[in-house]
Amino acid sequence: MSENAKHPVEIVDLVPLTEQSPYMKPLRLHYKQNGKQLTWDCIKTHDSVAILIFNSSRNVLVFVRQFRPPVMLSALFNSMDSNMTNIKEKFEENAASMNPNLGFTLELCAGIIDKEGLTPTEIAREEVIEETGYSPPLEALHLITTCRTGVGSSGSLQYIYYCEVNDSMRVSQGGGIDDESIDVVEFSIEESRKQIYQCDKSAGIGRTPGFRLAISWFIYEKLPSLQLNK
């Protein structure tokens, strides 16, 4: 997206959460550690899956560019002296000069584990189909590792997979389902390598830790053993 393009989002309102959410539940934990009474505010949320996808037909890694409202809010709160009451006005005042990528991230294909009866691997495959349009067999997904995300708020578990696809597996353009705002992004191996240490602030678009971790694993662990398509 051009840096001169108008930001594609318009803030309508920002209000405290007063009703139950199907995705997260705020909690306050009272506990004792080393005999001292302590308190921590937490969020109960779903575990998740994330998938690093390599297209062997063209030697590219497949990612998604997605709009993340919390990322946009964080940037607005930190850079525009915004608060709960004036954020809409601050956004409108700065809309003309605002980076159109504000609130967007480069990520692995990913999703929450919220479907009963499906394993994390089966959910991961569904996410690949929905978000990127590739339909790989289940056995194409291999677990790289698991890690904890949001350790200061939710501590949820994420399963990180590797999946190799080819052009014949593409069954749609992807883009997600319902109201998801997802673009499929392809990087060459060298372009992907440059993403590992890219500074989000100077680049103007966010990247997740899992995105960087998975690329590092691919470059240093998987790539040396791959027979690349010439």
Side-chain angles (χ1 to χ4, degrees), residues 11-28:
I11 292 180
V12 176
D13 200 5
L14 178 65
V15 297
L17 182 62
T18 57
E19 58 190 49
Q20 187 170 351
S21 167
Y23 305 107
M24 60 183 67
K25 183 177 182 180
L27 304 165
R28 176 161 290 173

Side-chain angles (χ1 to χ4, degrees), residues 71-218:
V71 174
M72 183 184 73
L73 284 179
S74 176
L76 293 176
F77 284 142
N78 292 331
S79 65
M80 295 183 185
D81 193 28
S82 303
N83 56 50
M84 287 282 293
T85 60
N86 71 2
I87 194 167
K88 184 176 185 294
E89 290 73 18
K90 288 284 186 179
F91 187 89
E92 291 173 349
E93 288 174 8
N94 293 276
S97 59
M98 190 177 296
N99 182 343
N101 279 317
L102 182 73
F104 284 83
T105 56
L106 293 172
E107 303 181 22
L108 302 177
C109 167
I112 59 175
I113 299 176
D114 63 345
K115 298 170 183 173
E116 291 187 10
L118 295 182
T119 66
T121 307
E122 290 170 331
I123 291 176
R125 179 178 179 272
E126 286 195 354
E127 294 296 338
V128 173
I129 297 170
E130 293 170 359
E131 293 192 359
T132 70
Y134 289 97
S135 181
L138 190 64
E139 57 268 23
L141 285 99
H142 304 281
L143 185 66
I144 300 173
T145 190
T146 61
C147 63
R148 294 289 174 180
T149 64
V151 293
S153 55
S154 68
S156 59
L157 185 67
Q158 183 169 81
Y159 297 77
I160 302 179
Y161 290 88
Y162 171 72
C163 181
E164 191 169 312
V165 300
N166 56 55
D167 285 341
S168 70
M169 296 180 187
R170 195 79 184 271
V171 296
S172 75
Q173 294 302 306
I177 58 174
D178 300 327
D179 296 323
E180 291 180 315
S181 176
I182 295 175
D183 298 317
V184 180
V185 178
E186 295 182 349
F187 289 144
S188 69
I189 294 173
E190 186 53 37
E191 288 171 330
S192 299
R193 187 196 306 269
K194 294 176 182 178
Q195 298 296 320
I196 298 175
Y197 302 110
Q198 180 66 264
C199 176
D200 290 357
K201 187 172 183 179
S202 61
I205 188 168
R207 293 161 185 78
T208 64
F211 171 86
R212 300 176 192 271
L213 169 64
I215 295 174
S216 296
W217 172 87
F218 178 84

